[in-house]
Amino acid sequence: QGQLVESGGGLVQAGGSLRLSCAASARIFRTNMMGWYRQIPGSQRELVAAISRGGGQTNYSDFAKDRFTISRDTDKGTVFLELSSLKPEDTGVYYCNVAPPILARTSYSRYWGQGTQVTVSS
């Protein structure tokens, strides 16, 4: 079983909502900031949002502000991403990994999971 397992994606109409979940191994979850990333077709993987180890601090990319919410459940070792007011341009594969991105691309690059597909129809 992978150490990062994403779920919750699907097909939704523009303006709709989804809740993504990421089950992380204890080793990764307990010691790191966590982030959600996405890869839009034809683009590189980008950070969507990040959350501190304790959950008290979050930050969002501009496109995610006021629409997406990241959270984490310490007891369950799970990171969530609530997506709302979805747009067709949000269509892509969503992944979780540690934050900041430089860490996810280097030391934790081998932990990328399969991601979860989000498709927003117009």
Side-chain angles (χ1 to χ4, degrees):
Q1 186 174 355
Q3 300 199 42
L4 294 167
V5 181
E6 302 91 349
S7 62
L11 173 63
V12 65
Q13 289 188 329
S17 301
L18 286 171
R19 188 190 198 208
L20 308 184
S21 299
C22 169
S25 69
R27 189 182 75 81
I28 293 174
F29 186 86
R30 291 175 184 170
T31 59
N32 291 284
M33 288 183 61
M34 296 297 297
W36 277 97
Y37 301 79
R38 73 180 187 183
Q39 189 159 18
I40 304 298
S43 300
Q44 291 187 339
R45 197 173 298 176
E46 60 183 344
L47 178 68
V48 177
I51 187 166
S52 61
R53 285 172 52 186
Q57 292 184 318
T58 59
N59 61 77
Y60 298 88
S61 294
D62 287 344
F63 63 80
K65 289 178 182 176
D66 301 323
R67 297 193 301 130
F68 299 170
T69 303
I70 189 170
S71 60
R72 64 194 291 165
D73 185 322
T74 302
D75 292 338
K76 296 181 179 179
T78 303
V79 186
F80 302 99
L81 186 67
E82 303 265 4
L83 310 174
S84 63
S85 302
L86 282 162
K87 306 174 183 179
E89 52 264 42
D90 293 319
T91 294
V93 182
Y94 286 68
Y95 303 85
C96 69
N97 206 327
V98 303
I102 184 64
L103 205 58
R105 289 195 294 265
T106 56
S107 301
Y108 287 81
S109 61
R110 63 187 180 275
Y111 297 119
W112 290 108
Q114 296 299 308
T116 186
Q117 175 72 44
V118 172
T119 304
V120 185
S121 63
S122 57

